[in-house]
């Protein structure tokens, strides 16, 4: 993978002696910037993409993450945290394989992206995708419930509530025991309709966390709400109009709840209209009403009596043509960055009148008009290219559901991840946050890094292979040195040992016995003397208690056995023996000098035994008394070659040597001649 900057290496404390498997994390977007969130991660041959957004300040290809740094076909899993454009809007352009998001995110994703395509003021050539591409992407999006664990190609992942917006999730990914938490945008503060972000019960090895607000601290929510309503009340009391640029979904619903409650408590304002100006207004409300159970307890309790999103004092406004701009009014219009659409049209109409006000209610991305007017320039450029004086009052009152420094530091103290990667923050804010966190975690050996776009972070992890016994084998704890026998089943990066009878219970596999029968013709008449077979009443006998040989007729032999490697070998030997009976036995020429004595045979057998033991155990030496001394990892075994007795303090090794020596002896010793 290409990199535009030097890679930085992070290690776990226990991996200082050996370099384990390499894990690479590369921001393709949101590295020292806010916008086009997209983080690439690879480990043990598996690749994951977190989020797939666009940069709101740019258009066309310039708004995309740096996809040319990766091969899209190698992505195993694509996880989208929430529906905001800067996290999900390049999905139709990029998507090749299945992606995962929550139910609410998928429902809102389609609405928001359809609106994005309609209001984008770019040429057809610069359009990244059209409505048909969005519909095709819907077929490739799979949904996940909060706390539901899924596994794809050996990658396990699950998600937690992230606050921020409806359906927003934090994803925990587990690859071969290494856990990575990607927060996306999150908020630990419960507001009027959303729950606070959860704290995972597992400590991740790596936490990829947003740093949008750096070291800033949010004002208490009730203070912000009072400032917000005071500015609006004051403006309309003076005959002015209030523009609230906000994206159609997310913070808009929170602000509408505040406004509707304030209007209900102030009868003198009932003749002042509030408009929710978005083509998506009605459909957005329908989605929010559908997912009431995903919201906090306050909203759920209220919904039991009445629909909290059935606003009494707020009317939808689909387009500027339907707007009767007479007298004071409050209009919440999308998009939040004032790049285009209804919010930009109303801003151009109202910006020159000092009685009017614009309230920026959340974080705004650099490069957008909303970011520009916060600094209150004297003039602004209108959509038609002309300039106009900026006389309207501009107020920045953040209801942005991003974590501030207090939430970020508390969240990280709870988790205590050994490695922290900062994303989704402008360079200056991210730099200040990094320095403050380094100071805060100075005694914890925590590594904190803030990579730029396309700058790879390399880490090394030693993943241990551990097999767990389950089912019947786990009912009894084995004694030290006791051999556990079962089937070793590998799934992804996990290993399990289970009894054959449990295979169908704990996996999608099953065991079956394959009984084989081989019938062949012999050219030499055979006579088999044995007890008759109970089933067929023909002469039969068992070889090594594995293969049954039946004498079906004078020239026909049949072999019956249950297939396994040893039984197959025995049956092959029987077949070879029977087929070679008819062959002419080669003439044996006896030469006196080539006669093998028993002593010579014994010496040859000893050499073979010694060589085989060395191949199995390594260090094998001969004692003065003729016995063998075998050393394995500091454990010593004494082997009496004559009696086969084995002595060692390590019971497990002792049993292994005894069994191995017995099998080698049986294989090496010549077959004794039959006694007539």
């Amino acid at each position: 993978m290409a990199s535009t900057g030097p890679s930085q290496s992070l290690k776990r404390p226990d991996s200082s002696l050996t370099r384990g498997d390499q894990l690479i994390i590369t921001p393709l977007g949101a590295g020292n910037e806010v916008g086009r969130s997209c983080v690439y991660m690879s480990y043990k041959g598996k690749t994951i993409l977190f989020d797939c957004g666009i940069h709101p300040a740019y258009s066309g290809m310039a708004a995309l993450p740096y996809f040319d740094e990766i091969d899209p076909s190698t992505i195993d899993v694509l996880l989208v945290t929430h529906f905001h454009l800067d996290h999900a809007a390049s999905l139709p352009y990029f998507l090749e394989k299945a992606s995962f998001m929550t139910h609410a995110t998928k429902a809102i994703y389609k609405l928001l992206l359809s609106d994005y395509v309609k209001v984008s003021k770019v040429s057809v050539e610069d359009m990244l995708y059209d409505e048909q591409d969005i519909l095709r992407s819907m077929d490739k999006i799979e949904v996940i419930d909060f706390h539901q664990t899924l596994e794809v190609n050996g990658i396990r992942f699950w998600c937690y509530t992230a606050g921020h917006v409806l359906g927003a999730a934090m994803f925990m990914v587990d690859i071969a025991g290494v856990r990575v938490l990607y927060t996306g945008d999150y908020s630990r503060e419960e507001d009027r309709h959303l729950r606070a972000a959860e704290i995972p019960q597992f400590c991740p090895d790596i936490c990829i966390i947003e740093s949008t607000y750096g070291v800033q601290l949010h004002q208490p929510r009730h203070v912000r709400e009072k400032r917000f309503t005071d500015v609006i009340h004051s403006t309309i009391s003076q005959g002015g109009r209030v523009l609230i640029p906000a994206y159609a979904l997310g913070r808009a619903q929170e602000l509408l709840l505040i406004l509707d409650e304030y209007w209900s408590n102030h009868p003198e304002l009932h003749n002042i209209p509030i408009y929710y100006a978005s083509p998506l207004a009605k459909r957005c409300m329908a989605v929010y009403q559908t997912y009431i159970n995903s919201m906090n307890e306050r909203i759920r309790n209220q919904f039991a009596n009445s629909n909290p999103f059935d606003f009494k004092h707020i009317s939808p406004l689909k387009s500027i043509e339907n707007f009767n701009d007479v007298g004071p009014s409050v209009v919440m219009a999308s998009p939040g960055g004032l790049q285009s659409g209804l919010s930009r049209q109303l801003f151009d109409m109202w910006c020159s009148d000092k009685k009017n006000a614009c309230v920026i209610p959340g974080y705004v991305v650099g490069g957008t008009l909303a970011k520009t007017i916060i600094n209150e320039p004297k003039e602004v450029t209108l959509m038609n290219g002309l300039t106009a004086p900026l006389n309207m009052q501009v107020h920045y009152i953040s209801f942005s559901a991003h974590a501030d420094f207090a939430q970020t530091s508390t969240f990280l103290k709870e988790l205590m991840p050994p490695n922290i990667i900062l994303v989704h923050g402008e360079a200056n804010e991210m730099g200040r946050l990094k320095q403050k966190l380094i100071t805060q975690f100075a005694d914890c050996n925590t590594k904190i890094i803030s990579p730029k776009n396309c700058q790879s972070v390399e880490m090394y992890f030693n993943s241990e292979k551990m097999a767990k016994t389950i089912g019947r084998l786990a009912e009894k704890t084995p004694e030290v040195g006791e051999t556990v026998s079962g089937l070793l089943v590998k799934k992804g990066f996990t290993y399990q040992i289970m009894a054959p009878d449990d295979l169908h219970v704990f996996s999608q596999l099953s065991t079956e016995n394959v009984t084989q029968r081989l019938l062949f013709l012999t050219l030499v008449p055979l006579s088999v003397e044995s007890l008759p077979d109970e089933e067929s009443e023909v002469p039969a006998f068992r070889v090594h208690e594995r293969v049954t040989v039946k004498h079906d007729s004078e020239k026909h032999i049949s072999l019956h056995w249950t297939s396994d490697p040893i039984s197959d070998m025995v049956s092959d030997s029987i077949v070879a023996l029977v087929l070679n009976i008819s062959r002419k036995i080669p003439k044996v020429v006896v030469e006196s000098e080539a006669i093998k004595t028993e002593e010579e045979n014994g010496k040859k057998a000893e050499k073979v035994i010694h060589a085989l033991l060395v191949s199995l155990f390594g260090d094998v030496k001969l004692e003065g008394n003729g016995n063998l001394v075998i050393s394995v990892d500091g454990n010593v075994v004494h082997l009496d070659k004559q009696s086969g007795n084995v002595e060692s303090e390590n019971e497990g090794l002792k049993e292994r040597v005894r069994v191995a020596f017995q099998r080698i002896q049986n294989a090496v010793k010549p077959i004794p001649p039959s006694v007539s």
Side-chain angles (χ1 to χ4, degrees):
M1 182 175 62
S3 175
T4 59
S7 64
Q8 303 191 37
S9 177
L10 297 176
K11 295 183 181 180
R12 297 171 84 178
D14 60 346
S15 62
S16 57
L17 299 178
T18 58
R19 286 166 72 87
D21 297 310
Q22 185 186 59
L23 184 148
I24 296 176
I25 293 176
T26 309
L28 304 180
N32 279 251
E33 68 173 359
V34 176
R36 59 179 162 207
S37 285
C38 186
V39 178
Y40 170 90
M41 185 181 86
S42 67
Y43 181 56
K44 293 182 89 60
K46 307 298 181 184
T47 57
I48 296 173
L49 210 60
F50 295 107
D51 281 335
C52 200
I54 54 103
H55 199 299
Y58 306 133
S59 61
M61 299 293 284
L64 292 173
Y66 294 92
F67 289 138
D68 52 346
E69 294 288 320
I70 62 171
D71 179 0
S73 65
T74 64
I75 302 298
D76 292 299
V77 175
L78 200 165
L79 304 175
V80 177
T81 57
H82 63 287
F83 56 72
H84 276 159
L85 298 178
D86 62 325
H87 290 259
S90 64
L91 203 56
Y93 174 86
F94 178 82
L95 190 59
E96 288 196 2
K97 298 179 183 177
S99 67
F100 294 85
M101 57 180 69
T102 62
H103 292 266
T105 299
K106 183 176 181 180
I108 299 170
Y109 159 88
K110 180 178 179 294
L111 295 177
L112 215 56
L113 263 66
S114 297
D115 184 57
Y116 168 69
V117 168
K118 291 173 185 174
V119 302
S120 294
K121 298 296 182 182
V122 295
S123 63
V124 176
E125 293 77 16
D126 289 333
M127 288 293 292
L128 297 173
Y129 46 82
D130 56 23
E131 192 77 28
Q132 292 303 313
D133 294 321
I134 297 172
L135 293 175
R136 278 192 290 271
S137 74
M138 290 291 287
D139 295 333
K140 297 180 181 179
I141 295 173
E142 298 185 34
V143 292
I144 181 173
D145 291 319
F146 291 107
H147 309 128
Q148 177 189 6
T149 300
L150 297 178
E151 184 167 338
V152 176
N153 295 336
I155 303 169
R156 294 175 64 243
F157 56 94
W158 57 96
C159 61
Y160 303 96
T161 300
H164 190 61
V165 292
L166 181 64
M170 299 185 288
F171 281 98
M172 183 80 82
V173 173
D174 186 318
I175 303 177
V178 175
R179 289 187 176 133
V180 179
L181 176 68
Y182 178 76
T183 66
D185 294 349
Y186 78 102
S187 173
R188 288 281 297 142
E189 180 184 46
E190 182 172 308
D191 58 22
R192 285 176 174 259
H193 73 294
L194 292 177
R195 302 169 182 168
E198 297 176 89
I199 294 181
Q201 67 270 43
F202 301 109
C203 169
D205 298 284
I206 306 166
C207 181
I208 306 173
I209 190 169
E210 71 151 314
S211 51
T212 313
Y213 278 93
V215 296
Q216 297 179 44
L217 297 174
H218 295 324
Q219 287 183 320
R221 187 162 62 88
H222 70 275
V223 173
R224 283 176 280 156
E225 288 189 9
K226 188 175 188 310
R227 283 183 59 208
F228 177 67
T229 52
D230 284 352
V231 165
I232 293 173
H233 200 149
S234 172
T235 302
I236 58 179
S237 296
Q238 297 171 18
R241 298 160 176 81
V242 180
L243 172 63
I244 308 171
Y247 291 101
L249 282 151
R251 290 298 84 196
Q253 281 64 41
E254 178 76 2
L255 298 174
L256 292 174
L257 287 168
I258 295 170
L259 286 173
D260 199 56
E261 181 185 286
Y262 188 79
W263 249 244
S264 296
N265 295 333
H266 292 78
E268 71 276 14
L269 299 177
H270 288 183
N271 62 329
I272 306 295
I274 304 174
Y275 296 104
Y276 177 28
S278 169
L280 302 177
K282 286 188 176 180
R283 284 182 290 172
C284 288
M285 287 297 97
V287 171
Y288 264 67
Q289 291 164 19
T290 301
Y291 292 99
I292 286 289
N293 288 331
S294 298
M295 300 179 198
N296 60 26
E297 188 176 356
R298 175 182 179 274
I299 286 289
R300 294 198 305 273
N301 290 340
Q302 189 176 341
F303 189 73
N305 300 316
S306 62
N307 185 351
F309 293 103
D310 183 11
F311 300 118
K312 298 179 177 63
H313 305 283
I314 298 167
S315 305
L317 179 65
K318 285 191 175 182
S319 66
I320 199 76
E321 290 77 18
N322 300 328
F323 180 44
N324 185 17
D325 187 14
V326 178
S329 63
V330 179
V331 181
M332 184 178 297
S334 62
L338 294 172
Q339 311 98 298
S340 57
L342 279 167
S343 63
R344 182 59 184 270
Q345 291 173 308
L346 291 170
F347 176 82
D348 286 3
M349 289 168 53
W350 293 348
C351 66
S352 300
D353 191 338
K354 64 181 181 181
K355 291 189 298 183
N356 299 334
C358 179
V359 180
I360 309 292
Y363 186 87
V364 283
V365 178
T368 59
L369 177 61
K371 184 74 170 180
T372 301
I373 66 172
I374 286 177
N375 298 320
E376 298 185 358
K378 292 183 179 180
E379 292 182 336
V380 290
T381 303
L382 305 179
M383 281 195 296
N384 59 15
L386 302 176
T387 58
L390 179 62
N391 295 328
M392 74 188 314
Q393 300 295 312
V394 178
H395 303 271
Y396 177 59
I397 307 172
S398 178
F399 288 89
S400 179
H402 291 273
D404 63 358
F405 175 72
Q407 294 180 36
T408 299
S409 60
T410 304
F411 184 76
L412 292 173
K413 281 180 183 177
E414 291 274 355
L415 285 179
M416 291 304 293
N419 301 298
I420 299 170
I421 295 181
L422 303 177
V423 295
H424 199 281
E426 293 179 0
N428 292 334
E429 288 293 342
M430 188 182 287
R432 286 193 284 267
L433 175 62
K434 178 181 176 181
Q435 291 306 315
K436 200 157 185 178
L437 290 176
I438 288 174
T439 303
Q440 192 171 47
F441 291 93
D443 300 330
C444 304
N445 196 28
T446 302
K447 306 299 188 298
I448 304 170
I449 188 168
S450 53
K452 298 177 182 177
N453 283 337
C454 303
Q455 184 178 12
S456 296
V457 177
E458 297 177 3
M459 307 183 193
Y460 295 89
F461 293 87
N462 292 323
S463 56
E464 298 178 351
K465 289 186 173 68
M466 179 184 295
K468 296 181 179 179
T469 56
I470 59 174
R472 300 179 189 181
L473 293 183
E475 292 176 357
K476 177 189 173 186
T477 304
E479 301 294 334
V480 177
E482 182 182 344
T483 302
V484 176
S485 178
L487 296 175
L488 179 63
V489 180
K490 179 187 177 186
K491 183 180 181 183
F493 295 105
T494 60
Y495 298 83
Q496 296 174 328
I497 302 175
M498 61 188 75
D501 292 342
D502 287 338
L503 189 63
H504 72 283
V505 178
F506 297 103
S507 74
Q508 295 179 337
L509 305 173
S510 61
T511 56
E512 294 292 340
N513 289 328
V514 178
T515 302
Q516 302 203 63
R517 180 176 183 271
L518 180 64
L519 177 68
F520 56 95
L521 176 69
T522 65
L523 300 178
V524 177
L526 298 176
S527 176
V528 176
E529 295 183 3
S530 68
L531 295 176
D533 180 59
E534 293 181 359
E535 295 180 359
S536 57
E537 296 184 353
V538 298
F541 64 92
R542 295 275 289 173
V543 179
H544 288 305
E545 296 300 321
R546 289 182 174 273
V547 180
T548 301
V549 181
K550 294 183 180 181
H551 191 191
D552 296 315
S553 66
E554 184 180 357
K555 290 187 177 183
H556 289 89
I557 293 279
S558 64
L559 275 56
H560 304 257
W561 73 97
T562 299
S563 183
D564 64 64
I566 297 178
S567 298
D568 291 347
M569 182 180 66
V570 172
S571 67
D572 289 342
S573 300
I574 296 171
V575 171
L577 176 65
V578 173
L579 293 179
N580 278 293
I581 288 177
S582 61
R583 292 187 180 181
K584 185 177 180 182
I585 300 175
K587 188 175 181 181
V588 179
V589 179
V590 181
E591 296 182 7
S592 59
E593 63 271 16
I595 296 175
K596 303 280 185 172
T597 65
E598 185 177 343
E599 183 179 351
E600 287 173 330
N601 284 334
K603 287 181 179 179
K604 183 179 178 181
E606 283 190 6
K607 287 182 180 180
V608 175
I609 290 172
H610 186 272
L612 290 173
L613 288 173
V614 169
S615 69
L616 288 173
F617 301 106
D619 188 1
V620 181
K621 295 178 181 177
L622 188 65
E623 286 185 311
N625 57 5
N627 293 340
L628 296 176
V629 179
I630 301 172
S631 300
V632 179
D633 294 335
N635 298 301
V636 179
V637 179
H638 295 275
L639 172 63
D640 187 334
K641 294 189 295 181
Q642 299 300 321
S643 64
N645 289 334
V646 182
E647 294 181 0
S648 175
E649 293 181 357
N650 188 316
E651 291 295 328
L653 181 59
K654 175 181 175 181
E655 180 64 15
R656 285 176 57 200
V657 172
R658 186 191 67 77
V659 172
F661 180 68
Q662 185 181 21
R663 290 178 177 174
I664 291 172
Q665 273 193 319
N666 291 338
V668 170
K669 283 183 179 179
I671 300 173
S674 60
V675 180
S676 57

